[in-house]
Amino acid sequence: MQYALRSFNSGPRKKLNYTGNEATLEGYYCREVVAEIEEYAATMMLAEDIQISMSSVLSYQSVGAGKSQDESSLFDKFGVQILPLFIKLKSKVGKADVVIRVVNIKESFPEAIFDTEGHTLISV
């Protein structure tokens, strides 16, 4: 949760290497950035108008005992504090290459997704 609770744009930061390529994805203006860390070379389309980072998004998916935070940590190393709507990761250490797209972005969400009616919480 360390990444999820961090304020927007307050994590480790690196100088972004913008390529000059631009696109509109999911209705958001995006600029292309390339970044490298030890494990991966990345090409990302950053949606600067969305104030959340990929590290934060991934952190919410890794909540719970035994859950890995490897993905959140990986994106934190890139030093990119803006949400990428498209990511192409090329492994430099023999792991799988990965393409990620964020789709169907909504400004609001149905409150029913938090409805616990008919469900029982137990501790195992």
Side-chain angles (χ1 to χ4, degrees):
M1 286 302 284
Q2 64 178 334
Y3 305 108
L5 301 177
R6 182 188 294 152
S7 298
F8 174 69
N9 222 358
S10 65
R13 184 187 314 264
K14 294 184 180 176
K15 183 176 186 219
L16 298 181
N17 186 9
Y18 288 100
T19 66
N21 293 332
E22 302 171 344
T24 300
L25 303 175
E26 295 294 312
Y28 291 91
Y29 167 75
C30 298
R31 296 196 305 158
E32 186 178 65
V33 166
V34 292
E36 286 193 45
I37 58 174
E38 214 173 85
E39 303 96 329
Y40 286 96
T43 303
M44 299 177 250
M45 294 299 290
L46 304 181
E48 297 173 337
D49 290 338
I50 302 174
Q51 295 194 352
I52 191 168
S53 70
M54 192 63 164
S55 300
S56 295
V57 169
L58 291 170
S59 184
Y60 282 106
Q61 295 179 359
S62 62
V63 174
K67 296 281 189 171
S68 170
Q69 291 190 1
D70 292 348
E71 293 82 7
S72 299
S73 177
L74 178 122
F75 276 94
D76 210 47
K77 290 179 191 176
F78 283 125
V80 174
Q81 295 299 304
I82 301 166
L83 180 69
L85 297 185
F86 175 84
I87 306 158
K88 183 176 181 180
L89 298 173
K90 176 86 173 141
S91 176
K92 295 161 71 176
V93 293
K95 294 183 179 180
D97 296 340
V98 178
V99 174
I100 300 170
R101 287 187 190 186
V102 177
V103 296
N104 297 323
I105 297 173
K106 305 272 190 251
E107 297 262 337
S108 61
F109 56 89
E111 291 193 23
I113 65 172
F114 295 108
D115 185 8
T116 59
E117 187 174 332
H119 300 279
T120 304
L121 299 177
I122 60 170
S123 191
V124 179

